[in-house]
Amino acid sequence: MEKIEGYVSILNSHYKTFQDYKSTSRKMTTNLDTTMENSIETSNLNNGMHLVCEFRNSYTTTLGCFFPAGAMHEMSEERGSALFLEHLLFKRTMHSNQDQLEKAVEEIGGRVTAIAMRHMFLFYGTVPSCEVNKLVQLFADVILNGVICDQDIEREKYIILQELSKMESAKEQIIMDYLLSIAYQNTALANSIYPKTDVIKKFCTENLIKFRKRLLNTSFMTLVCTGSIGLQKLEKIVHKHFIQKTEKCNNSLSEYSNKMLFSTKQVEYRFSGAELRLRDDDNELGYVAIGIEGPNYRDVEGHFALTVAKEIIGSWDRNSNGANHNAPYIAHCAFNTDLCYMYKSFFHDCTQTTSIWGCYFVCNKMSLEHMVHVLQKEWMRLCTTITQKEVLRAINQCKMKELMLLNDPQSRFFDIVKNIFRYGYYIPIQQRVIEYQKITANKIREVSDTYIYDQSPAIIAFGRIENLPEYYNIRNAMYLLKY
């Protein structure tokens, strides 16, 4: 198959159900009530759409779609298209203007949201379960009949520039955005959702039209639904509003679409051990993020183990409860000393083939060196002397977070999207709980030795950072003499 340059695709052919993997899964041996989670059904339609449906007794239903149309899928001349699409998706169609679209949402008592990310473009809505048909109709109108005009582009330029100016106070968001850009530099994943100011000012309508036509295609669309509607009923609704309106132009996919759908090549993204520092003495504090490359979607066991490791490191800020009794060692030190103002472990899935694991923290200018030392000491403990008691505490926290996803329709929706995007199938929460229970201190040490020990980190630092150790010192502290 000929390689297509300039974009990355999420392959519908990659999607499978969890049942397809039952031959490699272990039998559930837990006392959990198997009825606590409803089964999830999947279906592939003739036009290439992929449906994922969870039936659950609920007065509301959350339904949304995601496409391979994030910042990493933009051509060089299309930079900023995903961000503009987020602002303009529900502005205008061939049949309705913005006021009419907003009125249609209000009449059914719903809420709709569009989110542009590096790896995907997602929009979703929550409505009373009896109004799902109208929500799907609205989505079909927006996707199939969406219109982009110059006056909307010019108005949104001003709004986006205002948002960027407000982001200057959101230090964590800025730091984490730069961390991915420096960690995956010179790859498509380095593209931030927020392009340079000059790019926004010069952005033209033709680029967004081209981007939308290329990627916002039902052939690449995954529709996820969780609520009081079954798969068969959802198929009928989708067929009515999507397939019947597009079957004339989608009876056979174009050569371009075929290449995107059936190419089986998975793109790997090179992780770079590098740093970016911006010293600004006008800031009273130092803001730092240190990240290392995590597992891809094939290493499910490693993903669960590093999730537990993230909980072992934990998080803390000055508003946290627990006082002197915080279980994570860093949180305990932070409460009793001036180690930091806050810290937060993170584990983000960037694409199907890579992830990033690490910690973000905010310190007084003279505490940065000590904070980095304490953090890396804890990372090395994960690789060497972590105890079973600490692992069990973190496992219980992970299981609790998974179970809490069952209570909120939007949390369920994002949980399903995350699983489908990362693995291509949905891992039931019961199965995840079992996987967490299998993790031991030895497994944490084994996985940490693979992904943390002696790895080159990516570092972003901003503010009063003169006390932050040099990169080679941080890199050298990523290993220790074990023998």
Side-chain angles (χ1 to χ4, degrees), residues 69-74 79 82 117-120 188 191-193 211:
M72 61 184 289
H73 304 95
E74 297 170 344
R79 285 292 290 125
M117 294 175 271
R118 287 177 185 254
H119 53 277
M120 74 169 74
N191 288 347
S192 170
I193 282 294
F211 177 81

Side-chain angles (χ1 to χ4, degrees), residues 171-222:
K171 300 295 193 302
E172 181 179 353
Q173 185 177 355
I174 294 173
I175 291 291
M176 296 307 298
D177 190 61
Y178 273 108
L179 180 64
L180 288 177
S181 295
I182 195 68
Y184 298 97
Q185 54 188 290
N186 299 321
T187 71
L189 194 52
N191 288 347
S192 170
I193 282 294
Y194 306 99
K196 296 179 180 179
T197 302
D198 288 344
V199 173
I200 295 174
K201 291 179 178 179
K202 297 177 181 178
F203 190 83
C204 62
T205 307
E206 290 74 18
N207 291 336
L208 183 54
I209 293 175
K210 177 183 176 182
F211 177 81
R212 177 179 178 132
K213 183 178 180 180
R214 181 165 62 87
L215 293 175
L216 234 66
N217 189 307
T218 54
S219 304
F220 317 131
M221 171 179 165
T222 300

Side-chain angles (χ1 to χ4, degrees), residues 110-374:
R111 300 191 305 271
V112 295
T113 305
I115 305 173
M117 294 175 271
R118 287 177 185 254
H119 53 277
M120 74 169 74
F121 185 85
L122 168 73
F123 58 91
Y124 67 96
T126 300
V127 296
S129 296
C130 59
E131 302 288 3
V132 170
N133 180 69
K134 294 182 180 179
L135 182 61
V136 175
Q137 183 180 7
L138 173 66
F139 284 173
D141 188 28
V142 167
I143 295 171
L144 303 178
N145 305 311
V147 175
I148 299 169
C149 60
D150 292 334
Q151 64 185 44
D152 291 337
I153 292 287
E154 293 303 318
R155 183 175 61 252
E156 293 305 316
K157 284 182 182 179
Y158 176 75
I159 295 174
I160 290 174
L161 290 173
Q162 279 189 319
E163 289 182 358
L164 291 179
S165 65
K166 292 179 181 178
M167 276 183 58
E168 293 180 2
S169 60
K171 300 295 193 302
E172 181 179 353
Q173 185 177 355
I174 294 173
I175 291 291
M176 296 307 298
D177 190 61
Y178 273 108
L179 180 64
L180 288 177
S181 295
I182 195 68
Y184 298 97
Q185 54 188 290
N186 299 321
T187 71
L189 194 52
N191 288 347
S192 170
I193 282 294
Y194 306 99
K196 296 179 180 179
T197 302
D198 288 344
V199 173
I200 295 174
K201 291 179 178 179
K202 297 177 181 178
F203 190 83
C204 62
T205 307
E206 290 74 18
N207 291 336
L208 183 54
I209 293 175
K210 177 183 176 182
F211 177 81
R212 177 179 178 132
K213 183 178 180 180
R214 181 165 62 87
L215 293 175
L216 234 66
N217 189 307
T218 54
S219 304
F220 317 131
M221 171 179 165
T222 300
L223 188 148
V224 177
C225 177
T226 173
S228 298
I229 181 171
L231 180 62
Q232 291 184 349
K233 184 177 179 181
L234 181 62
E235 285 179 339
K236 293 179 180 178
I237 295 174
V238 171
H239 187 276
K240 175 182 177 182
H241 296 298
F242 278 95
I243 299 181
Q244 288 182 354
K245 296 179 181 179
T246 59
E247 56 187 7
K248 290 184 179 180
C249 58
N250 282 341
N251 280 334
S252 60
L253 296 173
S254 65
E255 180 182 357
Y256 179 80
S257 299
N258 270 295
K259 290 178 180 179
M260 286 191 69
L261 268 173
F262 303 113
S263 172
T264 58
K265 181 177 177 60
Q266 292 288 339
V267 180
E268 300 289 340
Y269 297 96
R270 183 190 67 257
F271 183 94
S272 299
E275 70 172 0
L276 177 64
R277 303 188 185 207
L278 177 60
R279 177 172 174 176
D280 182 4
D281 290 346
D282 290 335
N283 281 275
E284 294 297 325
L285 304 174
Y287 305 85
V288 182
I290 304 177
I292 53 180
E293 186 176 19
N296 60 29
Y297 75 98
R298 300 182 189 92
D299 188 2
V300 179
E301 191 176 54
H303 195 275
F304 280 104
L306 281 183
T307 302
V308 174
K310 177 181 77 72
E311 293 300 324
I312 293 174
I313 300 300
S315 60
W316 179 88
D317 62 41
R318 294 192 170 185
N319 295 320
S320 297
N321 298 322
N324 197 39
H325 306 289
N326 287 285
Y329 175 73
I330 301 177
H332 183 80
C333 291
F335 177 81
N336 288 282
T337 67
D338 293 327
L339 180 64
C340 65
Y341 284 81
M342 65 84 66
Y343 81 94
K344 180 190 296 182
S345 294
F346 60 79
F347 188 15
H348 299 313
D349 296 324
C350 304
T351 66
Q352 294 170 330
T353 57
T354 188
S355 58
I356 189 165
W357 185 96
C359 186
Y360 166 79
F361 53 88
V362 181
C363 291
N364 181 278
K365 62 178 180 179
M366 298 308 296
S367 301
L368 286 168
E369 184 176 12
H370 187 207
M371 177 64 192
V372 172
H373 172 73
V374 171

Side-chain angles (χ1 to χ4, degrees), residues 321-432:
N321 298 322
N324 197 39
H325 306 289
N326 287 285
Y329 175 73
I330 301 177
H332 183 80
C333 291
F335 177 81
N336 288 282
T337 67
D338 293 327
L339 180 64
C340 65
Y341 284 81
M342 65 84 66
Y343 81 94
K344 180 190 296 182
S345 294
F346 60 79
F347 188 15
H348 299 313
D349 296 324
C350 304
T351 66
Q352 294 170 330
T353 57
T354 188
S355 58
I356 189 165
W357 185 96
C359 186
Y360 166 79
F361 53 88
V362 181
C363 291
N364 181 278
K365 62 178 180 179
M366 298 308 296
S367 301
L368 286 168
E369 184 176 12
H370 187 207
M371 177 64 192
V372 172
H373 172 73
V374 171
L375 175 64
Q376 292 190 281
K377 184 178 178 181
E378 284 298 283
W379 285 1
M380 291 302 99
R381 249 184 12 96
L382 291 174
C383 306
T384 54
T385 59
I386 196 68
T387 65
Q388 186 65 24
K389 182 178 180 180
E390 293 173 285
V391 173
L392 289 175
R393 175 190 62 80
I395 287 174
N396 288 334
Q397 289 184 326
C398 291
K399 291 193 293 186
M400 185 61 184
K401 289 183 177 180
E402 297 286 356
L403 295 174
M404 288 179 66
L405 295 174
L406 295 171
N407 297 327
D408 178 42
Q410 290 190 13
S411 297
R412 289 291 297 142
F413 170 77
F414 282 108
D415 178 52
I416 296 170
V417 168
K418 181 180 178 180
N419 274 260
I420 294 297
F421 169 75
R422 179 168 179 80
Y423 303 112
Y425 58 94
Y426 180 76
I427 302 180
I429 288 182
Q430 300 100 316
Q431 184 69 22
R432 283 180 252 173

